[in-house]
Amino acid sequence: MKQKSIKPARDVPFAEGILMYNGTPSAITKNVIVRIDHGALQGSGLRMTPAQANTDAGGAKVPLFVTKHGVPAGKWGVVLPWSIIQNINTSGIANEGDAFYLQDGATGTFGPAKGTVHRAVGVCIVKHAANGIVLLSPGMFTYGTD
């Protein structure tokens, strides 16, 4: 495919997707923040595990991605460098434009409260109790900055 044929992404950056293996014992759902599971490859591909903010190795300086869809245990799935998450509760954030942070615990979740390592992973676009919108882009932020 010619480079000029690749169109800019509007809400899902398909051209930037990475196929990763879920080597964890349970399924990883859609829109979960994952990190590269260091220490092993699956064949010649990367393995994923849910990210966490309460350990330096799991939530701080490693590359983070967003799952495009649910990935069953022992299966391959697509992860993205960013995603627009719609129809969620963002009322806990102070203002539109404020950061969302990676949360403690190995769940890959994000929220308005800072986790242990203060890893920003997204920005609130629309503040709303049911129809909130977040630009989730965990690789766009610098580690340890607020």
Side-chain angles (χ1 to χ4, degrees), residues 12-56:
V12 178
F14 290 106
E16 298 177 59
I18 299 172
L19 194 60
M20 279 194 199
Y21 183 78
N22 178 4
T24 67
S26 57
I28 298 175
T29 58
K30 178 180 180 177
N31 297 328
V32 168
I33 300 170
V34 295
R35 67 173 175 85
I36 296 169
D37 189 5
H38 31 290
L41 291 176
Q42 183 67 31
S44 61
L46 297 170
R47 297 168 61 108
M48 73 174 94
T49 190
Q52 56 189 350
N54 56 327
T55 62
D56 194 52

Side-chain angles (χ1 to χ4, degrees), residues 128-142:
H128 194 274
N131 298 316
I133 301 172
V134 172
L135 168 61
L136 200 56
S137 182
M140 187 180 292
F141 299 92
T142 304

Side-chain angles (χ1 to χ4, degrees), residues 85-96:
I85 314 298
Q86 299 184 54
N87 301 319
I88 63 170
N89 181 355
T90 57
S91 61
I93 199 92
N95 300 298
E96 292 172 346

Side-chain angles (χ1 to χ4, degrees), residues 103-126:
Q103 301 297 284
D104 289 347
T107 59
T109 57
F110 57 94
K114 295 174 183 174
T116 302
V117 295
H118 298 198
R119 174 91 184 243
V121 293
V123 174
C124 180
I125 303 297
V126 175

